[in-house]
Amino acid sequence: MQTGSCLCGAVAYEIAGPLAGVQLCHCSQCRRASGTAFAANLPVDVANFRILRGADRLKSFESSPGKERLFCEGCGSPIISRAASAPGWVRVRAGTLDEPAETHAAFRFHTASNVAWLPITDDLPRYPDDRPKASSPAGGGVSPRAD
């Protein structure tokens, strides 16, 4: 069982089962939503994700048609996103996980949109556009599109 929460602690959640690899998205929407050079997300089957407290404190923003980003109304911490195109999945913001977290960075995508002020210097797999399609959502940490 893995737990996590927002900055102020009003929203807390748990994830059952093993964690997928963290996917690093460099697209402009994720950069703006996270306020950083890339967003660190991990796909989680909705059956394995549960809000422990603060569900009433979650607010949402539809960043594009069918894509919703949920955040704490008190501190603004992004918690998850979900997409109508992948109803069985949420994408948890990895920075909200409690440590130690039993996961690792898996790959980077939308690297064609990487910011000039932070070059990519690691050897993680890179995809200039969208992440690869998965044969199974758990396989390799790849999940349906739900940034």
Side-chain angles (χ1 to χ4, degrees), residues 3-52:
T3 59
S5 66
C6 66
L7 179 62
C8 71
V11 177
Y13 63 85
E14 69 181 9
I15 301 169
L19 298 178
V22 176
Q23 303 172 2
L24 307 175
C25 181
H26 294 261
C27 80
S28 62
Q29 273 197 351
C30 282
R31 290 196 326 260
R32 287 182 173 90
S34 67
T36 62
F38 54 86
N41 309 300
L42 65 146
V44 176
D45 186 308
V46 294
N48 295 331
F49 181 79
R50 184 168 70 105
I51 299 292
L52 298 174

Side-chain angles (χ1 to χ4, degrees), residues 24-27 107-115 120 125-130:
L24 307 175
C25 181
H26 294 261
C27 80
F107 58 85
R108 297 175 179 275
F109 64 108
H110 287 294
T111 57
S113 298
N114 189 49
V115 295
I120 298 172
R126 299 179 196 177
Y127 303 95
D129 298 308
D130 210 351

Side-chain angles (χ1 to χ4, degrees), residues 40-130:
N41 309 300
L42 65 146
V44 176
D45 186 308
V46 294
N48 295 331
F49 181 79
R50 184 168 70 105
I51 299 292
L52 298 174
R53 69 172 176 271
D56 61 326
R57 304 284 308 265
L58 285 173
K59 298 297 176 194
S60 68
F61 172 69
E62 189 175 22
S63 59
S64 57
K67 181 175 173 181
E68 183 180 31
R69 297 171 185 268
L70 285 77
F71 57 93
C72 172
E73 71 177 354
C75 64
S77 293
I79 304 297
I80 62 168
S81 67
R82 55 189 175 200
S85 62
W89 294 88
V90 294
R91 293 183 56 78
V92 175
R93 300 312 181 236
T96 64
L97 292 170
D98 293 331
E99 287 294 327
E102 297 289 326
T103 189
H104 62 281
F107 58 85
R108 297 175 179 275
F109 64 108
H110 287 294
T111 57
S113 298
N114 189 49
V115 295
W117 51 265
L118 185 62
I120 298 172
T121 59
D122 59 46
D123 60 353
L124 288 174
R126 299 179 196 177
Y127 303 95
D129 298 308
D130 210 351

